[in-house]
Amino acid sequence: MKHYLLFAAGKDRPGIVAAISRILYRHGCNMADSTMTRIASEFAMLLIFQAPAGWRAERIGQELQRCEKRLGLFTGIKPLASSESRALKPKGRAHIISVYGADRPGIVYRVSRCLASKRINITHVSTHRTETSRAAGYVMLLEVELPSLRMAAGLNKSLGRLASGMGLHVSMRPVETAKL
Amino acid sequence: MAVRHIRLFPDFVLQTPCRPIVRIGPKTSDLLRDLKHTLQASHGVGLAAPQIGISLQAAVINVAKDPRKRFLGGSNHGLAVVINPQIVEARGLERPREGCLSVPDLLANVRRYAWVRVRALNAEGRQWILEVEGFEALAFQHEIDHLQGRLFLDRVANLSTDLYRRQDLQR
């Protein structure tokens, strides 16, 4: 069975998930992992599906186009190699980093550049801009994989320097999991 | 009655660790009165001095009337005043979804202790030890964080999802 990645995004309204999943169901495709969420007024879906043997992506192209027109969506499909469809083995201990403060240009770029320079992989990012009548705030939450615990102290120091230079607050802690 | 303006994120006072109160006098009484009145006028269960723009270690907590107390249970000290509070012992684990009067737009699943022992001074400057549990313990930890320049955003337990592949747990 071949795997594909499908994304769809558009103005949030009832029926988007039903429309996309209906197309996959009608074509005998199995939906595997997915993430679907509303961001501001937009709804975005990112999912992996398995297609039956001999199936071609073009077969649902027309139906997706109709769906795009009817629901105002933007969609795309990308084939995956079989190794790409499997969950990756974690490359280290998961840590959560919180960064927040007054909004200013470059927060995401400078924090992610700091992590990339240390070859630290980001697995989740969530950012939020808040606005009051006085000022705008920015919150960036990241989940990262630290290949070795020795890196934590160095990373903390680098992020601390970066944050204080930008008037931000930063904290980092390991994700605790209880295996029962 | 002095109801003060509640400082909102990203006000820098919320990111700044507060100074301990070294002398309890008329100014402290004024601060505590303002905290009580502002808390009463809000829909919150706790208020720390930096939330009204004062970078000193004082907070008031009152979970008595909050309906969440009924669901989450635990202790109830009524209106509690704490000066220079410190958590000296903690047990258990909770992952409540938390918000804050100073960050009105956001909520997060956070990591908190289910029971804490807190050492603090009361309004008269006498040391007292409180054991708090359940919803009241969450409120105490939240306010003590404020006094250390931390927000609930520093206690986020996970991002975007509460369900992980088992493989992801092999960390």
Side-chain angles (χ1 to χ4, degrees), chain A residues 33 98 100 169 171 173 179, chain B residues 10 95 151 153-154 165 169:
Chain A
D33 289 11
S98 304
Y100 57 83
H169 175 98
S171 66
R173 59 224 159 265
K179 288 183 232 172
Chain B
R95 291 198 174 188
L151 297 176
L153 303 167
D154 292 301
R165 285 185 174 279
L169 294 180

Side-chain angles (χ1 to χ4, degrees), chain A residues 90 178-180, chain B residues 164-171:
Chain A
K179 288 183 232 172
L180 305 174
Chain B
Y164 292 88
R165 285 185 174 279
R166 187 79 182 174
Q167 194 176 346
D168 290 347
L169 294 180
Q170 310 302 316
R171 288 165 172 163

